[in-house]
Amino acid sequence: MNKQRYLLDYTLRLADDALIIGHRLSEWCGHGPVLEQDIALTNTSLDHLGRARTLYQYAAEQFNRLPQGEKKNAFTSVAIQNLVASGENLGEDDLAYLRDGWDFRNMLLLEQPNIDWAYTIARSFFYDTFNYFFFQHLAGCKDESLAAVAEKSLKEVTYHLRWSSEWVVRLGDGTSESHQRMQHAVNELWAYTGELFVMNDTDKIMLQEGTGVDIEAIKPLWMQRVSAVFEEATINTPTGTWMQQGGKEGRHTEQLGYILAELQFMQRAYPGMAW
Amino acid sequence: MTVHSFQEHFDSLIDRELTIEPRDWMPDDYRKTLIRQISQHAHSEIVGMLPEGNWITRAPSLRRKAVLLAKVQDEAGHGLYLYSAAETLGVTRDELYDQLHTGKAKYSSIFNYPTLTWADMGAIGWLVDGAAIMNQVPLCRTSYGPYARAMVRVCKEESFHQRQGFEIMLTLSKGTEIQKKLAQDAFNRWWWPSLMMFGPPDAESPHTEQSVRWRIKRLTNDELRQKFVDVTVEQAKVLGLEVPDKDLKWNEERGHFDFGAINWDEFWNVVKGNGPCNKQRLETRKKAWEDGKWVRDAAMAHAEKRKAKKDAVKAA
C-alpha cells in the first residue's frame, strides 16, 4: 500500500469507529432508564454520527482521487466496484452502506451489544477515555482535515467522558446490584480494550508521516484515568491480560454482521436510489 | 375569599384571556381535566418515540439517520416539558407513568399503528405531526400558563418535524417508481388514522363544550379536522399522491373539501386496545421502565451516599 492508501485506511477506521458506536448508542433511543438520560445518550450518539459523516466525506474525497486500478481493488464490494466501473465518485453513504464487514476497520469494543446500562456505560467509558487522549494528539497532526475533526471532537468527547465517568461511579458506588452489574460489564469488556493501543502498519506509517497518533504512548494515560475512576467507583480493575483484536484489520466479532444487516438494509434492498 | 368569589376570580381571568398559574385557585374539574389532557399529551410524545425509533437503525442514509434520531430526541424533550407542566398541578411524573403503564391513562391512538417501510417516516412527519400541529397551535394560547408556554416550544419543533416529513415524501415522490409506490402506500395507511387524531365528532365528544369554555381547547374536533383536510389535500397534489378517499370533493358552497365517512368503529377499537401495536407499544414502555429500575435506584443510592459524606465532613 502507498501512503494515500494508509491515510484512507486511517480515516476510514476513525469513521467506522464513530459510526458503529453511534449506531449502538442510537439503539437506546426511546428505551432509556430515565427520560433525561435517554436524551443525553442520544446527544452523544449524534456527536459520533456527526463525526462519522465528516470523516466519511473526507475518506470519499481521498478514495475518489485514487487511480482507477486501486479504486477497483480497494474494497471487496460488488456495489462499490460497480460504481467505480461506471466512473462514479463515491460519497459518504457509499462507504457506510456498501462495504461488508471485512472492509470495516472499527475496533471490536465498539460493536459489542448494549446488553444493559452497565455494559453501555463501560463500553462508552473505555472509548471516551481513549478518545479524550487520542484527539488531543490528533489535533496537532499534520493532516489539516483530521486535525480539524479532532479539534471539534475534543469539546464533545470531554463532555462524553465526564458523563460516562459519572455513571461508572454512580453504578459502581450505588446499590449492591448496580455494583455487581458494573463490575461484571467491566470484566466482560476488558478483553476488548487491548486493541485500542495496538499499532498496526497503518498506525506506524501514519505516525512516521506526522499524521497518526502514537497510541502506545496513550496507554499509560488511559490506564491512569480508568484506574482513578474505578477507584472512586469501588470497581476492581480486571487483571486479565488476554486481549481480543482484529477489528482494525477487518476481522470482527459476530456482532458486526448484524449491525450491518440492519444499518445497510435500505441501500441493499433498494440500491442506487436517493433518499 | 369564599369559594364563590374564588370561582368568580377564576372565571374573570378566563374571560379576560389571562392565564391561570399554578398557585391560582382553580376548580377541581379544571385541574383534573388539565392533568388528563397534559399527561395524555406527554405519554403520546413518549410512546410516539417508538414507531419512528423503529427506523433509526435502518435509515437509508447517514443524514436521514441523524435527522431522525434528532427528531425522536425532540419528542423525548416534549415529553419532558409536558410532564413538568403536569407536575405543576400537583401530580408526580412517576404517578403519571404508573397511569400509563397500568392502562389507566391514554395516549394518542395513532402510535398503535405499525411503521412498515421507510416511507412511514415521511408520512408520520407530514401527516401525524401535521395533525398534531393543527391540534396544538391553538394550545399555545390555552388558559393554563405552564401548558401554554410548553406548547410554544413544542409547536416550534413540531413545525420543523413536519417539514422534514414532507421533505422525505417529496424526495420519494421525485424518485423512482418504487419510491413513489412506497410514498403512496404509506399515505394510504396513514391518511385515515391521521383524520382520527382529532378525536370523535363534536356531537359525540363529551368534554369539548366545557374545555372550549375553559380555553383548554380552542377549536372543536370537527373544525380542526376540516382544516387539516383542506391543507393536506393541497400538499398531496404537490407530492403527486392520490388521497385514498373516493368521496373527497371540493365543496364550493362550504369553501371546504367534503370527505368520506371515517371508520369510527376502527377508531374505538384501537382506543380500546385492539390496534395493531397497542400491546407491543405499552410492553416496550413498561420494559424500558422496569429494566431501568436498578439504574434509577443506583443513582438515588449514590446521591444519598454523597450527601451523607458531605454532611459528615460538615459535622466534623
Side-chain angles (χ1 to χ4, degrees), chain B residues 15 23 29 39 73-74 92 103 110 118-120 125-126 134 148 169 204 214 244 248 258 276-277 304 312 315:
Chain B
D15 290 340
R23 287 180 191 184
D29 280 348
S39 66
Q73 184 194 32
D74 281 347
T92 67
I110 192 87
W118 169 254
D120 290 10
W126 173 38
M134 291 274 170
M169 294 304 267
E204 293 159 39
W214 279 338
L248 186 89
D258 290 336
C277 299
E304 276 164 19

Side-chain angles (χ1 to χ4, degrees), chain A residues 36-92:
Chain A
E36 285 84 346
Q37 295 305 326
D38 202 303
I39 294 171
L41 200 55
T42 302
N43 261 339
T44 302
S45 171
L46 282 166
D47 287 343
H48 291 310
L49 291 174
R51 185 170 75 254
R53 289 190 64 191
T54 313
L55 288 163
Y56 281 129
Q57 286 160 13
Y58 182 42
E61 269 173 42
Q62 294 172 40
F63 180 89
N64 294 332
R65 281 200 304 265
L66 293 176
Q68 191 70 7
E70 280 195 45
K71 281 186 193 176
K72 236 179 86 184
N73 299 319
F75 307 114
T76 312
S77 152
V78 179
I80 289 186
Q81 284 171 358
N82 286 342
L83 285 174
V84 169
S86 64
E88 281 192 49
N89 276 337
L90 296 195
E92 56 176 75

Side-chain angles (χ1 to χ4, degrees), chain A residues 19 22-23 26-27 29-36 38-40 42-43 45-46 49-50 52-53 56 92-93 96-97 116-118 166-167 169-175 177-179 181-182 232 259 261-267 270 272-275, chain B residues 46 49-50 53-67 69-70 72-73 76-77 79-80 83 93 97 117-119 167-168 171-172 175-176 178-179 182 284-285 288-289 291-299 301-303 305-306 309:
Chain A
L19 173 63
H23 181 91
S26 80
E27 291 173 359
C29 186
H31 308 274
V34 193
L35 198 46
E36 285 84 346
D38 202 303
I39 294 171
T42 302
N43 261 339
S45 171
L46 282 166
L49 291 174
R53 289 190 64 191
Y56 281 129
E92 56 176 75
D93 290 327
Y97 290 89
D116 69 4
W117 193 249
E166 282 172 2
W167 271 106
V169 173
R170 232 173 253 141
L171 297 183
D173 189 23
T175 62
E177 181 183 1
S178 71
H179 175 83
R181 281 178 185 260
M182 192 68 231
E232 200 190 338
I259 292 179
E262 215 172 323
L263 178 84
Q264 299 180 337
F265 162 71
M266 286 297 292
Q267 293 275 353
Y270 303 94
M273 299 180 198
W275 301 97
Chain B
I46 299 309
M49 292 170 76
L50 301 175
N54 200 18
W55 278 87
I56 289 171
T57 54
R58 289 178 290 170
S61 71
L62 294 172
R63 178 175 154 258
R64 290 292 182 203
K65 188 178 176 71
V67 172
L69 186 55
V72 179
Q73 184 194 32
L80 206 52
Y83 284 123
R93 208 201 293 182
Y97 277 154
T117 72
W118 169 254
E167 201 240 324
I168 290 176
T171 307
L172 294 175
T176 62
I178 288 175
Q179 285 172 303
L182 279 170
T284 305
R285 278 315 312 160
W289 186 244
D291 287 355
K293 185 175 184 305
W294 71 270
V295 178
R296 295 189 301 275
D297 288 348
H302 180 73
K305 280 185 192 176
R306 273 231 139 122
K309 266 186 212 160

